[in-house]
Amino acid sequence: MKEVVAAGAGVSPCAACKLLRRRCSPGCVFAPYFPSGEPHRFASVHKVFGASNISKLLQEIPAEHRGDAVSSLVYEANARVRDPIYGCVGAITSLQRQVESLQTQLALAQAEIVRLRMANAYGAAHHNGGGSTASGSPSSMSSPTKTADHHDMAVDQSGVMELELECSRFWAY
């Protein structure tokens, strides 16, 4: 709920003025960004940056960018309260490590999928072509009079080539 701040109207002051124990003027730079219902936001920002520095910063920033600046200040202040040494850099580093770990897990899973597909294609190729023809020679397998089983084997072989290409792309990365 947004509150309109008016001098002497009996409306509660913004969170900044309430914490600083001062009268909230109609032109208070903090009022639009630190409503009285969210005192913890200003408290953490004030603890880390100081009210004077926040006021100066907000006055230097164009009005259309102040909301984003306050959100950034609140995020950084909360991160500094949790981790006084690294702040949000510590959170970013932790997230980067998680991303790297997940990328490694994904790469291993993709490699396992490729391995299983290749093993499946290899098994299917040997099952379909392993002595099912009369002579069993490679020349008889490539003869123009292929049965449906041989056609499926050709599809499996192209699938193997596709998997080999996928695997080479994976390992080249």
Side-chain angles (χ1 to χ4, degrees):
M1 180 173 109
K2 295 279 182 179
E3 297 178 12
V4 178
V5 178
V11 178
S12 69
C14 68
C17 292
K18 190 181 282 187
L19 184 75
L20 299 172
R21 297 179 183 193
R22 65 181 191 191
R23 191 166 168 256
C24 194
S25 66
C28 178
V29 70
F30 299 121
Y33 312 107
F34 300 104
S36 62
E38 299 175 13
H40 60 281
R41 289 185 58 181
F42 183 76
S44 61
V45 172
H46 173 59
K47 181 177 181 180
V48 174
F49 300 108
S52 178
N53 290 331
I54 300 165
S55 176
K56 289 175 193 173
L57 181 73
L58 288 176
Q59 289 172 353
E60 291 177 9
I61 296 175
E64 64 270 9
H65 298 295
R66 288 180 185 169
D68 293 333
V70 167
S71 294
S72 295
L73 288 169
V74 170
Y75 183 81
E76 175 64 25
N78 288 332
R80 285 278 171 197
V81 168
R82 281 191 306 272
D83 185 356
I85 296 171
Y86 295 108
C88 68
V89 173
I92 291 168
T93 303
S94 174
L95 291 172
Q96 285 175 335
R97 286 186 190 136
Q98 281 184 320
V99 167
E100 290 169 1
S101 173
L102 292 171
Q103 285 174 335
T104 301
Q105 289 177 18
L106 178 62
L108 290 171
Q110 288 172 333
E112 182 67 11
I113 289 170
V114 168
R115 186 190 70 76
L116 291 171
R117 283 183 181 169
M118 290 180 75
N120 189 26
Y122 179 78
H126 282 286
H127 176 69
N128 287 341
S132 63
T133 61
S135 66
S137 69
S139 62
S140 67
M141 287 185 186
S142 61
S143 67
T145 58
K146 291 183 180 178
T147 63
D149 286 340
H150 289 103
H151 180 59
D152 289 343
M153 190 173 115
V155 170
D156 286 340
Q157 287 176 344
S158 69
V160 169
M161 291 176 63
E162 184 178 304
L163 287 170
E164 288 174 350
L165 178 63
E166 184 178 329
C167 190
S168 68
R169 285 187 196 141
F170 171 76
W171 291 113
Y173 179 69

